[in-house]
Amino acid sequence: MGREIEAILAAKGHRVVLIIDEDNAGELNTSKLHECGAEVALEFTTPQTAYGNIIACLEAGVGVVSGTTGWLEMLPEVEKLCREKGGAFFYASNYSVGVNIFFRVNRALAGMMERFDQYDVTVEEIHHTMKKDAPSGTAITLAEGILDNLSRKRIWVGNTTTDPRELEVVAVRRGTVPGTHTVTYDSPEDSIEIKHTAKGRTGFAAGAVMAAEFICGKQGIYTMDDLLGF
């Protein structure tokens, strides 16, 4: 993702002033961020390091676009600091425009299925073997969209289940798959399936760059719904 984002930034005429990875993580500090004139940081790292990275940027007055998943138990603290500092923070579990349209379709379909309890619903996601968290943040967002709109499901679980109150979310790790997400409603008579298949990482990176352009010079907390006008 970092290389994809860097290429898109360069193609659009933006200047990349600092690149941080595990070899120079110590340079992510207020002094260095001010010295290089950073305006927005695009944070795509690991569940273990995301929170510290985001805090460091917000403390330095640098807006943050984060796409790291698996750390969201700390999200309220990040949002609190962002408000205190008058900063800008943009979070999405997935920056693809297509996926975010898919999120909307998923919520709408879940609401429609409220009346039809003969259908059980499951979520499946398939990703490359190097993905560090499971289920994916995108799958969790899909699950939460279903839970918000389908009252017979009370909680999502990351394993198979026979409890009708539980929403089954299955994660598969296979080869180099960029990301495939499927929501299936199954009944004794038929099945209804909605699916998003990513063809590569460019769509995710392009959305992240759009988010960085969107928050540059702004204050507040934003999501893809804000960017896309949903």
Side-chain angles (χ1 to χ4, degrees):
M1 277 295 290
R3 286 189 289 271
E4 292 276 1
I5 287 170
E6 184 182 7
I8 292 170
L9 286 168
K12 299 186 76 170
H14 297 298
R15 189 164 62 97
V16 178
V17 296
L18 180 64
I19 297 175
I20 298 290
D21 60 25
E22 59 185 0
D23 295 327
N24 67 332
E27 294 187 36
L28 187 63
N29 57 63
T30 297
S31 175
K32 186 68 174 181
L33 289 168
H34 287 175
E35 177 189 326
C36 68
E39 295 178 288
V40 180
L42 291 105
E43 195 278 334
F44 286 77
T45 57
T46 69
Q48 295 73 35
T49 58
Y51 174 74
N53 295 338
I54 295 165
I55 293 297
C57 293
L58 290 175
E59 290 280 9
V62 176
V64 182
V65 170
S66 176
T68 307
T69 58
W71 64 275
L72 292 189
E73 69 278 1
M74 307 298 291
L75 182 59
E77 292 187 31
V78 166
E79 292 178 341
K80 180 175 181 289
L81 179 65
C82 181
R83 293 187 184 99
E84 290 173 352
K85 294 290 184 180
F89 178 66
F90 192 116
Y91 178 78
S93 61
N94 194 306
Y95 282 86
S96 160
V97 171
V99 165
N100 282 274
I101 294 170
F102 188 57
F103 287 155
R104 301 284 291 193
V105 172
N106 173 62
R107 293 197 289 268
L109 180 57
M112 293 169 65
M113 299 304 286
E114 176 72 11
R115 296 171 49 211
F116 306 105
D117 58 9
Q118 68 267 39
Y119 288 90
D120 194 21
V121 58
T122 58
V123 177
E124 181 189 70
E125 58 99 341
I126 306 172
H127 274 93
H128 52 89
T129 55
M130 296 300 291
K131 186 165 179 60
K132 298 183 183 299
D133 57 319
S136 68
T138 300
I140 293 172
T141 300
L142 289 167
E144 290 172 344
I146 293 167
L147 295 178
D148 288 344
N149 292 280
L150 192 65
S151 63
R152 60 182 176 272
K153 293 296 183 182
R154 304 296 178 82
I155 189 173
W156 68 265
V157 294
N159 51 261
T160 58
T161 179
T162 57
D163 187 333
R165 298 167 299 179
E166 295 179 342
L167 171 60
E168 181 179 304
V169 181
V170 177
V172 178
R173 296 292 170 262
R174 181 184 303 153
T176 59
V177 178
T180 300
H181 294 83
T182 307
V183 178
T184 302
Y185 287 84
D186 189 59
S187 80
E189 292 78 30
D190 57 12
S191 295
I192 300 169
E193 181 179 284
I194 57 173
K195 181 177 183 179
H196 180 274
T197 303
K199 297 180 179 179
R201 294 189 177 89
T202 303
F204 307 129
V209 171
M210 288 170 59
E213 294 169 333
F214 180 77
I215 69 166
C216 191
K218 288 187 173 72
Q219 295 180 337
I221 297 165
Y222 302 95
T223 70
M224 288 296 283
D225 281 353
D226 300 302
L227 176 61
L228 299 178
F230 289 157

